[in-house]
Amino acid sequence: MISEIYDVIVVGAGHAGCEAAAAAANLGSKTLMVTMNMQTIGQMSCNPAMGGIAKGQIVREIDAMGGYSGVISDKSAIQFKMLNLSKGPAMWSPRTQNDRMLFAQEWRIALENTPNLDFFQDMVKNLIIEDNKVVGVVTSLGIEIRGKSVVLTNGTFLNGLIHVGDKQLGGGRMGEPRAYGITEQLVSLGFESGRMKTGTPPRVDGRSLDYSKMEEQSGDENPQKFSYLDTPKLKEQRSCYIVYTNEEVHEVLRSGFDRSPMFNGTIQSLGPRYCPSIEDKINRFAERTRHQLFVEPEGWNTVEIYVNGFSSSLPEDVQIKAMKLIPGFENVKVFRPGYAIEYDYFPPTQLYHTLETKLIKNLYFAGQINGTTGYEEAAGQGLIAGINAALKVQDKPEFTLSRDEAYIGVLIDDLITKGTEEPYRMFTSRAEYRLLLRQDNADIRLTEKSYNLGLASQERLNRVKDKISKSQQLEDFLRETSLKPGIINPILESIESSPVDQAYRAAQILTRPNMTLVKLEEIQAIKEFASQFNGEVREQAEINIKYRGYIEKEKENVSKLNRLENIKIPEDFDFTKISSLSSEAKQKLSKVMPKTIAQAGRISGVSPADINVLLVFLGR
């Protein structure tokens, strides 16, 4: 039926699959997306939001690399917030609340307008493997589709099992069938697999809620956006709301624990540590009398509400009874109860940093199949897998991002080097160079790399260079402009900062606590010069001046680490023959097969003494 031989076949159309397909096609590879349901491309399976702490940085990075997630988020946003503004710029994280249906619609439109990309609706049941290399897929209809590379982005569909109390349903999402065959085949080829769990909360009718009993959470007064392109800015926003559980709610939930698959042994797999179910929260944090819930609208033109924080696999009658005791939920009508889902994943230590598998050539894994959780983590992996699948069939050098270049680099290095036994979620604390990996400078860090690959346009590169040039102009002006005490002291007094008795450069004054560029612009000369630049340029210049010392120190640390990154370990190196290595180090090193000394040092169980032994053995 399908006689064409594709360069890249992407299996799955979630966040990882969408970014993988877009990247491969935009790099000129003839690409096919195979999905079980064309109506759920780009589906937000869980909460209707993108970004958040550390995740927002990933979306900005995807955008800078020419991916679509930032553009789609902007086009479907119903609210924007910049989180953590009370902290330093390394912690600032953008987040959008999105229209679920519009998000999926925009994804499909974007993909259908991407050259080199075809679609086919069916379930992939098997891979075609020849000479230890993937050369295509077989669908449930028995159709063989040939391809030079395959990217698996199966999400929660591999042998998915849904739990609602003591009821169990086979499925990848509620109302959608599970996928089978791939896990069994991969295990027979020597892959290690495991089971993970995730969950989702109830969806309720917003017309049945009393919002007067909740705390309103509006968006930012001057909303920003994710994409560095000219996507639309929000002119109006929808509010979210905060409400709290109480002891009565907890008591009702506890009454159902004997029927909970989490507590009666039905579910054996581990769920996301940092996004626990409501029953897990009241069990683990028994001393707490209440837990925060976010009441989130699902879109502009729907009454459906997502009850963020109330993820549950308890019986539906227990869920509803407990919800009715939450303030504002007394008359709640439930569209569908929360549920847990178990699914197959493959420990990511079986991959290279390109996300190609070590066992089968030209086969790539991205998303929850690698043990991650979250749209953004999946999308970032999809982008890298799609890029590398395309480059591989074009006989071009592989593309990876290091830990000092992007959160995506941190994410993939953590997975490949350390593995994960529970759903992995990105946090700013995981990035040791987070001051360099800010959300505001993702375009500066990554656009040129994307341009060199062939993803970013010349126009986009020019915009970044213009931003760099203009922020430097503003920095130079502030470093050269001298301010006399009579001009600056009134402003210093207004922020309760010590007055000065001699002239200081504007940049020196800007480094003081609580001092901002906006404050400095109360001085007419500074206002006149700074007003010619947009908000992005002004923010960049201010951060560079205020945190210059810290940024330089972090760059020094990167330079030191890169010396170890440059010491390569031969591809077929036999760690077991080095008698001086500890037994644990031999085992872990042989399993991960690190490519550099720096990567070896990040493996859990490999000590500094083991690294010294390796350095000596390699003649360094």
Side-chain angles (χ1 to χ4, degrees):
M1 178 177 166
I2 298 177
S3 58
E4 188 161 3
I5 298 176
Y6 286 92
D7 294 317
V8 181
I9 298 173
V10 177
V11 180
H15 300 265
C18 287
E19 288 291 0
N26 283 325
L27 285 175
S29 289
K30 189 63 181 172
T31 305
L32 175 69
M33 171 183 275
V34 185
T35 173
M36 294 167 69
N37 188 350
M38 289 282 289
Q39 308 308 313
T40 56
I41 290 174
Q43 178 86 355
M44 288 179 139
S45 303
C46 205
N47 63 321
M50 286 292 283
I53 296 170
K55 293 167 174 279
Q57 280 86 328
I58 292 176
V59 178
R60 282 267 165 94
E61 290 174 354
I62 291 169
D63 184 74
M65 285 294 301
Y68 290 178
S69 289
V71 172
I72 305 297
S73 298
D74 288 345
K75 287 183 175 181
S76 60
I78 62 175
Q79 186 192 93
F80 182 95
K81 285 184 84 74
M82 185 68 76
L83 307 181
N84 280 342
L85 282 176
S86 62
K87 299 179 181 179
M91 305 295 285
W92 300 349
S93 301
R95 182 183 189 271
T96 54
Q97 199 70 30
N98 294 85
D99 184 311
R100 185 190 297 278
M101 291 180 286
L102 186 56
F103 185 91
Q105 177 185 318
E106 290 291 348
W107 252 120
R108 180 158 177 173
I109 291 170
L111 291 173
E112 288 184 355
N113 282 282
T114 300
N116 305 313
L117 181 56
D118 291 345
F119 304 86
F120 189 69
Q121 180 171 303
D122 200 353
M123 184 188 83
V124 170
K125 191 176 180 182
N126 287 108
L127 304 173
I128 305 172
I129 311 290
E130 294 175 2
D131 298 325
N132 217 38
K133 182 179 180 181
V134 67
V135 293
V137 299
V138 181
T139 73
S140 61
L141 291 174
I143 298 169
E144 287 193 7
I145 308 172
R146 290 274 164 167
K148 298 173 185 176
S149 65
V150 174
V151 183
L152 293 183
T153 67
N154 303 80
T156 59
F157 281 78
L158 290 179
N159 293 316
L161 185 63
I162 293 169
H163 299 267
V164 183
D166 49 14
K167 303 180 182 74
Q168 295 180 11
L169 309 164
R173 274 192 295 253
M174 187 64 81
E176 296 183 49
R178 60 185 170 185
Y180 55 88
I182 290 177
T183 298
E184 293 74 12
Q185 182 188 16
L186 290 175
V187 169
S188 73
L189 291 169
F191 283 88
E192 178 190 348
S193 73
R195 295 283 279 177
M196 279 190 177
K197 172 188 85 75
T198 190
T200 193
R203 307 320 196 258
V204 304
D205 189 336
R207 297 169 299 184
S208 66
L209 304 181
D210 183 354
Y211 294 101
S212 67
K213 297 181 179 180
M214 306 178 195
E215 299 173 22
E216 186 173 5
Q217 296 286 300
S218 55
D220 288 349
E221 190 174 333
N222 297 303
Q224 298 181 41
K225 53 198 187 71
F226 272 119
S227 182
Y228 293 100
L229 298 176
D230 293 322
T231 50
K233 280 197 170 185
L234 277 173
K235 294 180 179 177
E236 60 175 313
Q237 302 184 68
R238 284 202 67 177
S239 292
C240 298
Y241 294 83
I242 289 179
V243 72
Y244 296 88
T245 62
N246 52 53
E247 287 283 22
E248 288 181 277
V249 174
H250 297 178
E251 199 54 46
V252 170
L253 292 171
R254 287 191 192 97
S255 71
F257 277 9
D258 60 327
R259 297 162 63 199
S260 166
M262 260 189 60
F263 296 110
N264 63 20
T266 307
I267 293 178
Q268 297 286 333
S269 50
L270 291 173
R273 177 186 298 268
Y274 302 102
C275 189
S277 64
I278 188 66
E279 56 263 39
D280 196 20
K281 282 191 275 194
I282 64 174
N283 183 56
R284 282 166 52 191
F285 309 106
E287 73 284 358
R288 295 191 183 178
T289 57
R290 68 176 193 172
H291 291 284
Q292 191 177 63
L293 305 176
F294 292 90
V295 181
E296 301 178 345
E298 295 260 337
W300 290 115
N301 304 306
T302 179
V303 298
E304 190 171 358
I305 295 293
Y306 181 90
V307 190
N308 196 340
F310 204 86
S311 175
S312 178
S313 60
L314 285 164
E316 66 277 10
D317 58 311
V318 176
Q319 292 185 40
I320 295 168
K321 186 178 178 182
M323 270 195 292
K324 286 180 178 288
L325 297 171
I326 298 169
F329 280 70
E330 293 85 357
N331 300 307
V332 67
K333 291 182 179 179
V334 176
F335 283 167
R336 78 167 190 238
Y339 62 87
I341 180 167
E342 286 187 288
Y343 56 93
D344 294 337
Y345 85 104
F346 293 84
T349 50
Q350 300 171 99
L351 307 175
Y352 296 115
H353 278 78
T354 58
L355 298 181
E356 182 183 16
T357 68
K358 295 174 181 176
L359 284 176
I360 303 296
K361 294 175 183 176
N362 293 15
L363 176 63
Y364 297 79
F365 292 173
Q368 284 178 284
I369 192 173
N370 290 337
T372 61
T373 179
Y375 305 148
E376 304 80 4
E377 289 89 341
Q381 292 171 71
L383 177 79
I384 298 300
I387 288 171
N388 280 297
L391 294 176
K392 185 80 179 284
V393 299
Q394 294 169 14
D395 292 321
K396 293 180 180 178
E398 65 184 37
F399 177 82
T400 59
L401 291 168
S402 62
R403 298 181 71 90
D404 61 287
E405 291 176 322
Y407 269 88
I408 296 172
V410 174
L411 162 69
I412 292 175
D413 185 64
D414 277 355
L415 293 173
I416 305 313
T417 304
K418 301 174 183 176
T420 185
E421 294 178 353
E422 60 185 44
Y424 177 102
R425 180 180 177 182
M426 179 52 71
F427 289 103
T428 49
S429 59
R430 296 192 191 273
E432 61 270 42
Y433 304 120
R434 52 188 171 274
L435 189 52
L436 300 181
L437 308 181
R438 307 184 308 275
Q439 55 82 31
D440 61 275
N441 69 352
D443 56 341
I444 294 172
R445 290 185 276 121
L446 299 174
T447 302
E448 190 165 359
K449 292 178 182 293
S450 177
Y451 174 78
N452 292 336
L453 280 171
L455 287 175
S457 65
Q458 182 68 54
E459 179 194 357
R460 187 168 189 142
L461 182 63
N462 290 342
R463 289 177 66 159
V464 174
K465 288 182 175 179
D466 185 58
K467 174 181 173 180
I468 295 169
S469 173
K470 286 179 176 177
S471 62
Q472 188 61 57
Q473 287 177 44
L474 182 51
E475 283 182 60
D476 291 343
F477 173 80
L478 294 171
R479 295 189 198 284
E480 292 164 5
T481 300
S482 183
L483 303 174
K484 294 180 180 179
I487 296 175
I488 193 61
N489 278 339
I491 297 174
L492 292 174
E493 288 171 14
S494 71
I495 61 170
E496 298 181 350
S497 187
S498 302
V500 298
D501 56 7
Q502 63 183 46
Y504 277 86
R505 303 288 183 189
Q508 289 177 286
I509 297 297
L510 185 55
T511 59
R512 288 196 173 201
N514 302 321
M515 178 56 74
T516 63
L517 183 55
V518 171
K519 264 293 181 187
L520 275 183
E521 286 175 16
E522 292 178 16
I523 299 167
Q524 189 61 29
I526 293 178
K527 183 178 181 180
E528 285 179 5
F529 189 85
S531 62
Q532 65 182 299
F533 303 110
N534 65 28
E536 270 188 45
V537 168
R538 291 143 67 98
E539 180 182 68
Q540 198 67 52
E542 182 172 358
I543 290 171
N544 286 345
I545 287 173
K546 287 183 78 74
Y547 298 93
R548 183 181 182 183
Y550 298 103
I551 291 170
E552 292 302 320
K553 184 67 176 173
E554 205 141 283
K555 286 180 178 176
E556 284 178 28
N557 291 337
V558 169
S559 180
K560 290 175 184 175
L561 181 69
N562 281 345
R563 293 171 200 164
L564 294 180
E565 290 285 6
N566 292 330
I567 303 176
K568 306 294 183 184
I569 300 173
E571 203 165 301
D572 55 352
F573 195 82
D574 188 351
F575 295 98
T576 61
K577 291 184 176 179
I578 306 177
S579 58
S580 305
L581 285 175
S582 68
S583 298
E584 184 179 4
K586 289 178 185 177
Q587 182 185 359
K588 297 286 181 66
L589 289 165
S590 298
K591 183 177 182 180
V592 176
M593 293 300 292
K595 289 190 171 183
T596 69
I597 288 292
Q599 187 193 353
R602 292 191 292 270
I603 298 172
S604 175
V606 177
S607 69
D610 294 319
I611 295 301
N612 284 333
V613 169
L614 281 177
L615 286 169
V616 170
F617 198 86
L618 292 171
R620 302 299 292 266

